[in-house]
Amino acid sequence: MDRTVPTAPADATATAPPEETGLDTSPAHAPDACFPDVAGLLDGMPRQRSGATAVAGRPREAATPVPVRRFRAPRVWRLFPTPTGTPFTFGYGAVLAAVSFGSAHLDPALVHTLHQGSSTDVAHLVRTPVPVLLTSALWIAGGILSPYAVALLFVLTALERRIGGVRAVAVFLLGHVGATLATEVPIGVAVLAGHLPASSLHRLDYGVSFGVAASLGALAGLLRPWLRWPLLALFAWTLLTDLLAFTDPLTDWGHPIALLLGVSTWPLVRRWHRARRPLGAD
């Protein structure tokens, strides 16, 4: 009878599971465990950070830095006209300064003649309306240091920076022409009706105050409420005081009319202002 001799496998440990081979595969015998100093060194080395941070196995967006608000000093120079920022106010102010300087050094009789030639009285408005309406705006009643001259400098500068030079001219002319006609036309009608003498047709009327009043009224509509209403109240109180004094009724009535004309432009100037803001012209 043939006998079969049992033979052992070539490598008993090659196919046996780890539990049967007796080898210890616990983390203590991992490669890093053999070099604990190297593993600790690798764990302590700084790694390049990416845009996201891993928290509990999940990526998290990096925190957005909070912008630091810096103190912005007020730009005082914007209160004054400049050749590039406010060309109309700068040029118009230079012309008014030159005319005021010349009238202060010319013969008073000549200055009076020039005033009469540019007066927006009824007689001139009937004959040459456009020339006298333009030339009458070249004079400042009271001189270059009068309240309306100072107001013109700051009011027109602020208005032009917000709505532009051409539109600022339109607002100024609206007050200058509108208030002039609103006060002179009734005089002409009163003379024709016999309620006033014929000499009222040649009454002197010139200056920039009507245009300044309209520009201030328009500018108020672009200001914050805490500044708008006190400014209007202060100016209206000044006009009311002049009316009560009754020293120059024609001019004193023209100022509140010009102010109301400027206030009536609020919807328009606000639309112009919004159209300029994206261009950085405010």
Side-chain angles (χ1 to χ4, degrees), residues 101-229:
F101 179 82
S103 62
H105 293 80
L106 292 176
D107 182 57
L110 176 59
V111 174
H112 181 71
T113 302
L114 294 175
H115 285 166
Q116 286 182 325
S118 57
S119 173
T120 53
D121 51 48
V122 177
H124 282 99
L125 287 175
V126 171
R127 295 195 304 264
T128 56
V130 175
V132 295
L133 283 171
L134 294 178
T135 55
S136 65
L138 299 179
W139 303 96
I140 302 178
I144 195 65
L145 297 179
S146 67
Y148 279 102
V150 178
L152 180 141
L153 180 70
F154 294 105
V155 170
L156 274 185
T157 298
L159 185 63
E160 185 175 0
R161 289 192 184 278
R162 286 164 172 79
I163 65 175
V166 176
R167 293 163 178 171
V169 173
V171 172
F172 183 87
L173 289 179
L174 174 65
H176 178 68
V177 176
T180 298
L181 296 178
T183 53
E184 293 292 345
V185 171
I187 292 178
V189 174
V191 171
L192 291 177
H195 297 295
L196 288 176
S199 60
S200 300
L201 300 177
H202 303 277
R203 178 187 174 277
L204 284 179
D205 186 18
Y206 59 89
V208 300
S209 58
F210 291 167
V212 173
S215 300
L216 187 145
L219 176 64
L222 303 177
L223 302 178
R224 301 285 185 180
W226 63 267
L227 181 59
R228 175 191 310 152
W229 301 117

